[in-house]
Amino acid sequence: MSKILFVMTGVDYWTLADGTRHPTGFWAEEAVAPYEAFKAAGHEIVVATPGGVVPTVDKGSLAAEYNGGQENADRVAGVLAAATELQHPISLQDVNLDEYAAVYYPGGHGPMEDLAVDADSGKLLTLALESGKPLGVVCHGPAALLAAEHDGVNAFAGYRVAAFTNDEETQSGFADKAKWLLQDRLTEAGVQVQVGEPWAPHIIVDRNLVTGQNPASSAPLAAELIKTLG
């Protein structure tokens, strides 16, 4: 059994261009689908957040329309409620990468607020990339890659990634409200964003980095990480 580190947002809001705070956090499916897959494969999960705060689920992500109906929405909420790891996170600053076989970053709009500028997360991502350990990042989680800089160069420059796209942000109604768009900012940092169909599962594997475009990509991303772990 291996230990897998979930690095999650510690905020429950996303500051929009007009200064208002949109309530958010992590996206339920992006935590639950990999959580269940890793657990079923016999792995242990440890959650880390900035400051060790308990992560907040984006309440919108628990809606029936995003979970294939109310029955599954209730099931997803139940998994989150029962996941004791989520209630007892460690602080990102205290993470020792040597203790983990893989690292996983779920999305939600929360990472756009905190992980995108979190130096501890940026260092961890850089170390994980250099270590060769499987590193999975999905949807808005790749916002965290923006903080992985050394001497003004992004550690992920030149890597091919999937991430939440401008088209998806437009269709979700936030593109014209956001301070910046993830696809644009990653591209500016030298990261090669490979765009798939909106809302369809789309993962990219580049060396030890596995990235997914949207919530539907989280389950196939988890399957890829499990395969890599053997």
Side-chain angles (χ1 to χ4, degrees):
M1 184 171 77
S2 303
K3 279 168 74 172
I4 298 176
L5 182 71
F6 272 43
V7 180
M8 302 179 71
T9 180
V11 297
D12 60 4
Y13 65 90
W14 174 38
T15 307
L16 302 177
D18 65 0
T20 60
R21 289 184 169 188
H22 171 68
T24 186
F26 68 88
W27 197 259
E29 181 179 358
E30 296 166 27
V32 169
Y35 178 89
E36 291 186 303
F38 295 144
K39 286 282 209 175
H43 300 298
E44 182 184 342
I45 291 168
V46 175
V47 173
T49 62
V53 303
V54 175
T56 298
V57 65
D58 186 316
K59 291 187 175 50
S61 69
L62 294 173
E65 63 184 297
Y66 295 123
N67 292 284
Q70 191 59 50
E71 186 179 342
N72 194 54
D74 292 343
R75 188 193 71 79
V76 167
V79 173
L80 289 175
T84 54
E85 298 93 340
L86 287 168
Q87 308 307 317
H88 303 283
I90 64 172
S91 175
L92 202 46
Q93 294 128 304
D94 297 334
V95 168
N96 177 1
L97 184 61
D98 293 341
E99 296 176 7
Y100 302 96
V103 179
Y104 172 65
Y105 278 67
H109 277 115
M112 298 274 283
E113 183 75 28
D114 61 351
L115 298 180
V117 293
D118 189 289
D120 292 312
S121 173
K123 285 178 200 156
L124 177 65
L125 282 165
T126 303
L127 287 171
L129 195 64
E130 293 170 349
S131 74
K133 294 179 180 184
L135 171 60
V137 195
V138 74
C139 200
H140 287 94
L145 308 187
L146 298 170
E149 276 202 355
H150 182 66
D151 293 334
V153 178
N154 192 283
F156 293 86
Y159 276 78
R160 295 178 299 110
V161 306
F164 202 69
T165 64
N166 289 357
D167 282 348
E168 286 166 322
E169 204 71 86
T170 299
Q171 291 174 28
S172 64
F174 287 107
D176 60 349
K177 300 174 184 174
K179 287 182 178 178
W180 48 272
L181 297 176
L182 181 56
Q183 181 184 333
D184 290 348
R185 191 61 70 84
L186 287 169
T187 302
E188 289 163 10
V191 182
Q192 298 175 19
V193 181
Q194 308 217 318
V195 176
E197 287 296 315
W199 313 111
H202 177 58
I203 66 168
I204 297 288
V205 181
D206 189 346
R207 289 155 274 188
N208 60 315
L209 177 66
V210 186
T211 49
Q213 180 170 308
N214 45 36
S217 306
S218 54
L221 185 150
E224 183 66 31
L225 289 184
I226 290 166
K227 189 170 77 177
T228 308
L229 286 167

